[in-house]
Amino acid sequence: SIADLFSGVGTLTLPLARRASVSAFDSDREAIAALGNAVRHAQGLKPVTARVRDLFREPLSARELAGFDAAVFDPPRAGAAAQAERLAASKVPVVIAVSCNPATLARDARTLIDGGYRMGRVTPVDQFVYSAHVEAVAVFRR
């Protein structure tokens, strides 16, 4: 099972749900409603739950993360400082960070590494053609 943190409308949730059950969390009620609607109309997915939760103010705790095989987080430019701290304290075996801000990715990566994760592959994704912005995907393992 996978925790999709800062899921938005489910850009990562739906592809992940083809192979595993996914619990998606985001503070945007409309995005979570849209994700719930998409799940109801999709076929061939493993179970998906979508919940409204402000992960900046109320990040998932290490205890809440205990049942997940992996966690994905794709926060806004501010990064996921509080959630990264909870992930670092958890026993989730694999964490995948997606970021549009190298500075906050570096900060959150340091938190995970200090918590016992090893950073593996980091893949830049140039999805914003004609701009200097780049997404990065980093994999962390215990």
Side-chain angles (χ1 to χ4, degrees):
S1 65
I2 301 171
D4 185 1
L5 310 170
F6 305 95
S7 66
V9 297
T11 304
L12 301 174
T13 308
L14 296 173
L16 291 169
R18 291 185 192 135
R19 295 186 176 213
S21 64
V22 180
S23 295
F25 301 88
D26 198 279
S27 63
D28 187 322
R29 290 187 184 284
E30 291 180 9
I32 289 295
L35 173 55
N37 187 49
V39 167
R40 284 189 294 281
H41 291 91
Q43 296 179 8
L45 300 181
K46 304 286 185 189
V48 174
T49 59
R51 296 186 194 124
V52 175
R53 182 152 171 181
D54 185 340
L55 298 172
F56 291 110
R57 292 189 176 135
E58 189 185 356
L60 266 65
S61 68
R63 185 174 179 223
E64 291 172 296
L65 291 163
F68 292 105
D69 301 305
V72 175
F73 68 98
D74 185 5
R77 293 190 66 75
Q83 188 61 73
E85 288 175 12
R86 300 313 187 291
L87 284 162
S90 79
K91 297 201 182 323
V92 176
V94 178
V95 174
I96 299 167
V98 181
S99 179
C100 62
N101 184 341
T104 58
L105 175 60
R107 180 201 63 211
D108 297 343
R110 173 87 270 155
T111 300
L112 293 170
I113 291 166
D114 289 348
Y117 284 93
R118 284 183 336 183
M119 186 184 332
R121 172 174 274 168
V122 178
T123 305
V125 180
D126 186 13
Q127 73 181 43
F128 303 108
V129 180
Y130 308 115
S131 82
H133 297 288
V134 65
E135 290 278 319
V137 180
V139 178
F140 299 85
R141 295 183 191 278
R142 283 224 175 264

